[in-house]
Amino acid sequence: MNLTYSFIRPKAKSIFKTLTKIWMLCIGLSVLCMAGFYSLLHVQILHKQNELTLLEQDTAKLQLNIIATKDYLNRLNFEQSKIARIIESPQIDSTHSTNKRYRDGFSQLLGLIPAQITLSHLIIQDNYLELHGITPSKEVYIFLLQTPLKASFDESKVEFFPLSNGWFHFISVNRKTNPYLIPKDKDKD
């Protein structure tokens, strides 16, 4: 027979009460949430700093390209004004009339080229014309530029090379086989 001093069984007691455990759990979860939020912000800040450095590099490259383009445009303007001075300078009448004839022929040639076609290279020699450029399609070139060239030249050949953007690079070679028809003298026969 055991002697007991109490009629009820002893209950297990913890060091912390239930309400204290709930508060400790809430405080722990809030600390974890703040730490997660802090680490997320830190990762996003690093990502944005990397993007900023990439944008600064791209901006520097674009500024260099802008400077190079401005220099190129200045050079083109200089050459254009130089050519204009040469063409419009009063010289000997025969040279002036020859220059006027060449200028008119050249402006007519450039007038043939439609807005859709971009020329990158042009070679003009006696009875020979070579054009290099870019066209959106073969049909645009054939209908808008090749027809007038065939009317002016005896031989007209063109080669197309496809570009990655869907346009075509072309090389057109045009020749006059008989530039001048010289009549036979009746006195020499």
Side-chain angles (χ1 to χ4, degrees):
M1 223 190 177
N2 260 345
L3 275 163
T4 59
Y5 297 108
S6 175
F7 294 113
I8 58 172
R9 290 195 126 193
K11 294 180 183 176
K13 287 186 175 182
S14 65
I15 296 174
F16 301 110
K17 292 185 180 181
T18 308
L19 190 57
T20 307
K21 287 180 184 177
I22 291 173
W23 277 109
M24 289 173 81
L25 179 67
C26 287
I27 290 171
L29 287 176
S30 63
V31 167
L32 283 175
C33 286
M34 282 192 260
F37 187 67
Y38 174 76
S39 62
L40 178 68
L41 284 178
H42 186 67
V43 168
Q44 287 181 348
I45 287 171
L46 290 176
H47 181 68
K48 291 299 178 184
Q49 286 175 345
N50 289 339
E51 283 183 9
L52 181 64
T53 56
L54 290 175
L55 286 175
E56 287 173 351
Q57 291 173 355
D58 288 344
T59 303
K61 287 179 186 177
L62 288 174
Q63 286 175 347
L64 288 175
N65 286 343
I66 288 170
I67 291 170
T69 305
K70 284 182 180 178
D71 288 343
Y72 181 71
L73 285 174
N74 288 338
R75 179 67 183 170
L76 286 178
N77 288 335
F78 171 75
E79 289 180 5
Q80 182 183 13
S81 64
K82 185 177 176 182
I83 290 171
R85 277 184 279 148
I86 290 172
I87 289 175
E88 293 175 0
S89 66
Q91 294 177 356
I92 304 173
D93 290 337
S94 64
T95 307
H96 184 65
S97 64
T98 304
N99 283 345
K100 183 170 175 24
R101 190 177 73 224
Y102 284 140
R103 183 177 54 204
D104 292 343
F106 193 68
S107 64
Q108 287 175 357
L109 172 66
L110 292 178
L112 288 176
I113 300 168
Q116 297 93 340
I117 296 175
T118 303
L119 284 184
S120 60
H121 192 72
L122 173 72
I123 298 173
I124 299 176
Q125 295 176 353
D126 289 338
N127 308 320
Y128 178 82
L129 173 66
E130 185 173 332
L131 302 171
H132 295 246
I134 299 172
T135 182
S137 68
K138 292 179 184 180
E139 290 79 16
V140 169
Y141 175 84
I142 290 170
F143 291 124
L144 297 180
L145 187 59
Q146 189 172 12
T147 305
L149 288 175
K150 278 189 174 182
S152 300
F153 293 94
D154 297 327
E155 294 178 22
S156 182
K157 297 178 186 176
V158 65
E159 294 181 29
F160 293 97
F161 305 100
L163 297 174
S164 61
N165 61 359
W167 286 39
F168 291 92
H169 176 74
F170 66 88
I171 299 175
S172 173
V173 177
N174 304 286
R175 298 174 199 263
K176 275 197 172 193
T177 53
N178 293 325
Y180 306 105
L181 294 177
I182 302 173
K184 292 183 178 181
D185 290 337
K186 293 182 181 179
D187 297 334
K188 291 185 179 179
D189 289 338

